[in-house]
Amino acid sequence: MPAFLKFREDWVRPALFFGNNPISLTGGAITTGSGVTMISYWLAELSGHLSDNPYLGIIFFLFLPALFLLGLALIPLGVFLRRRTLKKAGQIPAEFPRIDLNDRIFRHGIDIVLVATIVNFLVVATASYHGAEYMDSPQFCGRSCHVMNPEFTAYQISPHSHVPCVECHIGTGAEAYFSAKVNGTKQLIEVTFHPLAPLAPKIVPNYPTPIPSPVTSLRPARYTCEACHTPTRFDGDKLLVKSSFADDAGNTESQTVLILHLGGVDSFSQRSGIHGVHLGHIEYISTDPTRTAIPWVERTNPDGSLTTYAASALNGAQPQGERRVMDCIDCHNRAAHTFVTAQEAINSAMTAGVISPSLPFIHKEGLQLLNAPYTSQDQARVEIPQQLEAFYRSQHPEVLTEKAALVKDAGEELYLLYSQNVFPFMKVTWGTHPNHIGHQEYPGCFRCHDGDHVAKDSTSITQDCSACHNLLAVEEAKPKVLSDLGIQ
Ligand code: HEC
Ligand code: HEC
Ligand code: HEC
Ligand code: HEC
Ligand code: HEC
């Protein structure tokens, strides 16, 4: 018998016979239905008419493909069950109903099956490709799940707002991709079942609030940050000007000016300054989960020798804890998600003029409103502008008549600052995620540079102010150096 005929007799005819059952037919309908829906969505997408709503993405790139595959799986399941039932009942015919290729209707049936198979294949292939691509987009990572809201909000206003999450969080290589997806799936399960968690806290997995930092699974900066920033290209100093405002009626402004010795690796391979010194090999042990307590630091010197700096309280013993090679993230831990303090937030808004320094006591009042407790961002959206207006109405009514628009703008801006930094439902508030750059608001550099990390030769990790920066002015009104530089 020619192969085709044999195939027809042994496979096609039994398949058609057994396939004629409710389960397989439902499967076929589900597959066709979801397939057609997906195809029309992709066509609409190609014509550029779709919103970037993350829920649409979840439906079209994750849910429908799953439905499509479920339908495909139901078809053979139905065939299997029907065959088993008929076999038990001894009703399997000796000969399956004839396939008559001269029968026009039957031939068309075969054509349809063939075309459907090809279309199915194309749909599954495209869906997997789209699904993988979609799972890598900031939309999926940041917006499909409200748990990520704090990080996504900060990300959108960061210098990295056009760098996809996966560039930093996954890095290069298939292994990294796989482990990140496994981790992500676990998180998706935690979030999905979250509403049930209070009912059965021991069984249902729950996600932590806030999401803990540091991210222990983050890949070394070599595979992430250094894919875009080349350490050997760092060089030189950086001028930093910071304005702050006082709590008096006139919101008296003062400025701090410093030159940061950023340094790097120059064209003669000399390492200098903040970047150069740490890009060599430094390891440390931290004794708390947030990497704030760092009592032990070991540096590999250019000649290969080791210098160990240890906190005096250790008395020479090596502490237990996480051991880590220092890289970019040990300073730039908030590279894409900078949450500022309330003080920093209002100072920079006033410097930019979006909160007008001409409003009496706006610094003092604004800071109080930012720091007040609200149960949700929605409550803050209503209360902050209202309370600011109430303050001026009771204390300085003339301001409301003369500068009503400025008061309204200030109220809205204060709420905006709040909404970029405080997320009550995730228990993220001012100061939840410390920034390691600097040492004023958080320990930062002083986790090691506190003067108490001493080596055997009794040198210590430097706390000399001028090693890191020259302070040109500290909280001065109109510092002369700024006019000398032509900045003011
Ligand atoms: C420029 C690199 C970069 C990009 C882009 C980036 N992140 Fe991060 N992310 C980090 C670093 C660095 C940390 C802090 C790691 C640490 O402290 O160990 C972090 C931490 C986090 C954390 C842990 C909680 C926290 O606030 O520390 C979450 C959640 C997170 N990122 C989500 C996202 C999402 C969602 C996106 C995309 C919308 C994104 N990240 C994009 C670098 C990045
Ligand atoms: C995909 C490329 C890419 C990756 C990966 C990346 N960056 Fe960047 N980064 C940029 C670009 C582009 C800018 C400049 C943005 C601008 O000036 O608006 C930038 C800016 C910065 C700045 C300056 C911010 C400022 O306030 O001016 C720092 C600091 C920084 N990156 C650190 C990091 C760190 C740390 C990592 C790893 C966690 C990282 N970057 C990963 C592309 C990247
Ligand atoms: C010892 C801490 C430390 C380490 C480690 C470190 N940086 Fe920095 N970096 C700083 C400080 C401090 C600044 C200045 C911050 C500021 O502008 O307020 C800075 C500034 C930068 C800038 C902005 C430069 C500019 O001209 O504005 C970039 C980009 C940057 N770092 C990238 C990196 C990358 C990439 C790595 C890892 C290879 C890295 N840094 C490692 C402390 C560090
Ligand atoms: C994990 C510990 C650690 C952290 C955190 C750290 N450093 Fe360092 N730093 C060292 C060690 C170790 C040295 C080498 C010893 C020395 O020169 O004092 C060093 C040296 C330096 C030097 C060179 C000093 C000199 O005399 O030449 C500068 C500048 C510096 N660090 C700046 C910073 C800044 C800025 C930060 C914060 C953004 C920072 N460091 C955070 C460990 C650290
Ligand atoms: C290990 C490095 C290092 C040492 C030592 C150091 N600083 Fe700093 N300091 C920094 C960095 C980095 C910043 C910038 C932070 C930023 O980018 O906002 C800074 C910022 C400052 C600021 C401005 C802060 C602000 O936000 O207004 C002042 C003031 C200051 N340092 C004072 C000092 C004094 C005084 C000393 C000596 C006792 C000292 N620092 C020692 C690294 C250092």
Side-chain angles (χ1 to χ4, degrees):
M1 205 188 309
F4 172 69
L5 284 185
K6 189 169 160 46
F7 174 69
R8 199 174 76 187
E9 294 305 313
D10 292 357
W11 291 97
V12 180
R13 281 169 61 180
L16 288 178
F17 175 75
F18 290 124
N20 189 3
N21 72 73
I23 298 181
S24 300
L25 291 177
T26 313
I30 291 180
T31 299
T32 323
S34 48
V36 170
T37 321
M38 282 190 285
I39 291 173
S40 27
Y41 178 82
W42 295 332
L43 289 180
E45 194 187 38
L46 280 181
S47 65
H49 283 306
L50 290 176
S51 81
D52 61 352
N53 181 329
Y55 296 103
L56 278 186
I58 291 204
I59 290 174
F60 283 98
F61 297 133
L62 298 174
F63 180 67
L64 279 183
L67 210 60
F68 184 89
L69 291 178
L70 173 78
L72 277 189
L74 283 180
I75 298 175
L77 178 74
V79 168
F80 170 77
L81 289 178
R82 176 158 142 104
R83 186 167 178 277
R84 206 178 56 174
T85 323
L86 290 181
K87 198 171 175 188
K88 260 199 198 133
Q91 286 175 351
I92 296 190
E95 193 177 350
F96 294 107
R98 285 209 66 76
I99 294 179
D100 185 356
L101 281 182
N102 292 323
D103 179 349
R104 210 164 51 88
I105 298 185
F106 182 76
R107 258 197 342 258
H108 284 181
I110 296 268
D111 288 349
I112 291 173
V113 170
L114 273 179
V115 171
T117 309
I118 294 172
V119 171
N120 278 354
F121 170 74
L122 289 178
V123 167
V124 171
T126 319
S128 339
Y129 175 77
H130 261 60
E133 191 184 55
Y134 174 64
M135 287 204 295
D136 276 358
S137 72
Q139 254 54 38
F140 176 75
C141 303
R143 286 180 61 197
S144 51
C145 143
H146 64 296
V147 173
M148 293 287 168
N149 196 289
E151 281 73 25
F152 187 60
T153 307
Y155 161 84
Q156 284 176 300
I157 50 174
S158 87
H160 291 109
S161 57
H162 289 174
V163 176
C165 320
V166 292
E167 298 272 341
C168 293
H169 281 280
I170 300 185
T172 47
E175 192 196 333
Y177 186 86
F178 183 72
S179 74
K181 288 298 167 232
V182 169
N183 206 355
T185 308
K186 180 175 153 271
Q187 290 164 7
L188 212 59
I189 293 174
E190 287 174 354
V191 170
T192 311
F193 291 105
H194 175 65
L196 300 176
L199 304 177
K202 288 230 172 65
I203 309 166
V204 180
N206 202 351
Y207 58 82
T209 51
I211 301 183
S213 227
V215 182
T216 46
S217 59
L218 218 59
R219 300 195 73 208
R222 213 168 340 121
Y223 305 107
T224 56
C225 321
E226 291 182 25
C228 296
H229 300 282
T230 320
T232 49
R233 303 296 303 164
F234 293 138
D235 210 358
D237 290 340
K238 179 175 182 178
L239 180 73
L240 211 64
V241 182
K242 296 202 162 192
S243 291
S244 53
F245 296 82
D247 281 346
D248 56 348
N251 309 301
T252 305
E253 183 176 0
S254 60
Q255 282 164 321
T256 297
V257 183
L258 47 129
I259 298 267
L260 275 175
H261 304 312
L262 277 192
V265 186
D266 68 16
S267 42
F268 303 103
S269 301
Q270 294 289 325
R271 293 166 174 276
S272 69
I274 299 171
H275 279 140
V277 176
H278 301 91
L279 292 177
H281 199 88
I282 293 179
E283 278 185 50
Y284 67 79
I285 296 178
S286 60
T287 51
D288 76 321
T290 65
R291 297 189 189 140
T292 304
I294 303 184
W296 188 92
V297 182
E298 183 182 78
R299 179 182 192 215
T300 309
N301 301 307
D303 63 4
S305 62
L306 297 176
T307 309
T308 305
Y309 301 92
S312 51
L314 291 174
N315 290 322
Q318 184 171 321
Q320 294 290 313
E322 182 198 7
R323 190 173 174 139
R324 192 180 140 80
V325 178
M326 188 176 183
D327 69 18
C328 318
I329 287 148
D330 290 294
C331 297
H332 294 284
N333 66 326
R334 310 302 322 163
H337 322 285
T338 317
F339 300 106
V340 294
T341 62
Q343 190 61 266
E344 287 170 319
I346 193 166
N347 282 340
S348 48
M350 289 178 69
T351 310
V354 281
I355 293 179
S356 171
S358 74
L359 294 170
F361 291 111
I362 185 67
H363 184 264
K364 180 164 179 264
E365 275 309 305
L367 203 55
Q368 257 169 27
L369 288 175
L370 287 180
N371 279 320
Y374 307 95
T375 53
S376 66
Q377 291 199 343
D378 286 337
Q379 193 203 8
R381 189 201 324 266
V382 177
E383 289 218 354
I384 292 179
Q386 259 179 15
Q387 304 245 9
L388 188 68
E389 208 186 302
F391 165 76
Y392 284 116
R393 184 170 304 117
S394 68
Q395 307 292 319
H396 304 277
E398 73 289 354
V399 174
L400 270 192
T401 47
E402 290 160 18
K403 299 178 176 166
L406 289 182
V407 174
K408 186 166 170 287
D409 289 351
E412 281 166 10
E413 179 65 21
L414 283 171
Y415 164 67
L416 187 69
L417 298 175
Y418 179 89
S419 70
Q420 287 166 345
N421 292 283
V422 183
F423 303 82
F425 76 98
M426 282 303 291
K427 300 199 179 72
V428 171
T429 182
W430 306 105
T432 300
H433 290 296
N435 189 339
H436 295 328
I437 296 272
H439 52 82
Q440 303 281 96
E441 305 289 347
Y442 306 103
C445 313
F446 284 11
R447 289 172 300 159
C448 298
H449 290 267
D450 61 351
D452 185 44
H453 286 66
V454 191
K456 286 217 175 65
D457 62 4
S458 59
T459 54
S460 61
I461 303 182
T462 183
Q463 202 181 19
D464 175 4
C465 316
S466 59
C468 300
H469 47 55
N470 281 6
L471 291 164
L472 302 180
V474 178
E475 303 202 357
E476 283 178 27
K478 301 207 183 308
K480 181 171 170 303
V481 58
L482 286 185
S483 50
D484 288 349
L485 289 169
I487 293 176
Q488 221 172 43

